[in-house]
Amino acid sequence: MWPAAAERNLVIVSGTEKAMQGVADTLREFWAHRPVRPRAGRKLGGVATGIALRYQIDPVIVRIAFVALALSGGVGVPLYLAGWLLLPEEGDEVSPLESLISKGHSSMSQARTVLLGFLMFPALAFTFGSGGFQILVTLAAAVACIYLLQKNRGHLQPATLAEPSPVTPVPGAPAWDPLGAAPFAWDLPEPTPRPQPPAPRQRKPRVGLVTLGVATMVIAGSAIAGIWAPWFTPVHTIGLVIAVLAAGLLVGSFVGGGRGLIWLLLPLSLVGFGMTAIDFEGDTTKLGGFDATPKAVADVQDRYEAGVGSMRLDLRQLPDSGSVKTAIEVDLGEAIVHVPKNADVTFKCEATSIGELNCLDKRAEGSEVQVSGTDLGANGEGGLKIELDVRAGVGEVRVLRD
């Protein structure tokens, strides 16, 4: 018994080593025959278009894949930058990064290469700061997709848009007409073409229908499993459906079909991104925003909150004296505060994820932006004092004096 068990273990280890060696060989082959970024037909750096041409798949599918990866914790951004740095451009000897270490010529300037390299640091910091295990799984899935592409379509020649050049006649050579020497043959009747049997209709792969069926079963299964397992929340269910749709697009890129799944994957990815970036804290009353116009200092609440919607706080009906301090926060939407023209306003405005700020003529927009200051109004110091802390997770913040 012992020798047989040892022999089985040896066979398993040997098979695992061969499998790992096969994966390594495929990835080395990918690097040796990696895609080339074309100069024409690209949207940004040509990474998606180069991959599509190399493996003869639809460029739209590759672009959608990068967008979906960017929405899945930001993984798509460093992956695209890595492709920009490591894939050579059409007509170049080596990639921009290889050119930087003097391995050959690249048309990209060294300054631009260094800039792209610096952009990798915040991209990687944002990606790995948003969740470790999920990011590792997403990266592993991306590497697996590259492996599958190279394994199944690596033998294909890169697609080109070049037309075959016409044959140019040799100068001085006589043109030969097979009927020129037989005038009686000029009026011969045209031969009657033989009827050809109709070409058999090719059945289109039903990738889209099968994928939608699987997605429906995932939704139903999650709804049933959620009764006993709290993990199956709406957010996690949407994530599972996005994974199913992405897998359907990947299969469709090999066998054809399934392109219509893009129009379902995009909005679901945006919804999933919004639901994971926004904390609703389980309070459904925070949905919808509010519109408040207090007329007395005592009517102003210490804090106003909303999950999704438009928040408007009008303080112009308050008296000309006293002191007010309040905070306004919205996860997704806009927060607008109107202040009296003569009030002394101390403010802090912030977009914690991404947004646009316009607070008493101090403006900013982008990711994690903030402005603050004090504005004494038209009459200078004196009168009603207002202290504001206005925040939006994703959206717009405005403090207006009108």
Side-chain angles (χ1 to χ4, degrees):
M1 294 295 295
W2 289 106
E7 185 176 353
R8 283 199 302 270
N9 291 335
L10 182 61
V11 170
I12 293 173
V13 172
S14 177
T16 304
E17 290 179 351
K18 288 182 179 179
M20 294 301 296
Q21 183 64 36
V23 172
D25 291 342
T26 300
L27 293 177
R28 277 196 294 268
E29 186 180 354
F30 165 80
W31 178 255
H33 304 282
R34 54 192 152 152
V36 175
R37 296 180 293 112
R39 298 181 183 272
R42 63 189 191 184
K43 301 298 182 182
L44 188 58
V47 178
T49 308
I51 294 174
L53 292 176
R54 171 65 182 87
Y55 297 107
Q56 296 188 20
I57 57 179
D58 194 334
V60 176
I61 293 178
V62 184
R63 293 180 184 126
I64 291 297
F66 273 110
V67 172
L69 288 172
L71 294 174
S72 301
V75 177
V77 177
L79 283 180
Y80 193 92
L81 290 175
W84 204 337
L85 288 169
L86 295 174
L87 300 182
E89 192 172 27
E90 181 182 359
D92 291 350
E93 298 175 356
V94 295
S95 67
L97 191 59
E98 291 172 311
S99 176
L100 192 64
I101 56 178
S102 303
K103 284 196 171 183
H105 171 72
S106 172
S107 59
M108 184 183 293
S109 65
Q110 292 188 351
R112 191 176 179 186
T113 304
V114 171
L115 177 61
L116 289 177
F118 275 120
L119 289 177
M120 285 288 290
F121 290 101
L124 289 172
F126 173 79
T127 298
F128 286 96
S130 60
F133 180 73
Q134 176 187 356
I135 299 305
L136 292 177
V137 171
T138 308
L139 282 174
V143 174
C145 288
I146 293 174
Y147 169 80
L148 290 174
L149 282 174
Q150 182 63 38
K151 187 73 174 177
N152 293 278
R153 304 181 73 87
H155 63 282
L156 300 176
Q157 293 296 322
T160 62
L161 300 177
E163 295 287 343
S165 57
V167 178
T168 304
V170 180
W176 178 70
D177 184 357
L179 298 179
F184 59 85
W186 292 350
D187 296 325
L188 289 176
E190 294 291 337
T192 303
R194 297 180 61 184
Q196 298 292 330
R201 295 183 60 183
Q202 295 183 350
R203 297 182 61 184
K204 294 183 178 180
R206 298 181 177 180
V207 176
L209 291 177
V210 173
T211 304
L212 290 177
V214 175
T216 303
M217 289 190 291
V218 167
I219 295 173
S222 298
I224 297 173
I227 301 175
W228 299 280
W231 184 86
F232 289 95
T233 62
V235 175
H236 290 159
T237 301
I238 289 178
L240 292 174
V241 173
I242 290 174
V244 170
L245 295 177
L249 277 174
L250 179 63
V251 174
S253 67
F254 290 110
V255 302
R259 185 171 177 176
L261 296 173
I262 293 172
W263 306 111
L264 187 58
L265 179 62
L266 271 181
L268 273 181
S269 299
L270 293 174
V271 170
F273 174 76
M275 294 182 71
T276 53
I278 300 166
D279 182 16
F280 295 103
E281 299 180 358
D283 186 1
T284 57
T285 63
K286 293 175 64 178
L287 302 178
F290 69 91
D291 189 343
T293 307
K295 300 184 184 309
V297 171
D299 296 337
V300 180
Q301 300 179 19
D302 294 335
R303 189 173 190 83
Y304 299 89
E305 293 180 272
V308 177
S310 176
M311 305 178 65
R312 181 177 176 273
L313 178 61
D314 192 344
L315 304 178
R316 291 174 292 183
Q317 301 297 321
L318 295 177
D320 295 334
S321 61
S323 179
V324 171
K325 181 178 180 180
T326 186
I328 301 96
E329 183 172 358
V330 60
D331 291 325
L332 175 63
E334 61 177 0
I336 305 172
V337 182
H338 295 274
V339 299
K341 63 179 181 179
N342 293 326
D344 298 344
V345 182
T346 300
F347 62 90
K348 177 183 176 183
C349 300
E350 184 178 4
T352 56
S353 292
I354 186 170
E356 180 179 355
L357 311 178
N358 178 12
C359 297
L360 297 179
D361 295 330
K362 286 196 173 183
R363 303 171 183 268
E365 61 179 321
S367 176
E368 299 181 357
V369 290
Q370 175 182 313
V371 297
S372 60
T374 300
D375 190 295
L376 301 178
N379 65 342
E381 187 174 2
L384 178 66
K385 297 186 181 300
I386 301 176
E387 186 174 345
L388 298 173
D389 186 355
V390 191
R391 300 183 182 184
V394 178
E396 184 179 7
V397 173
R398 287 187 285 171
V399 177
L400 307 174
R401 191 191 293 274
D402 48 13

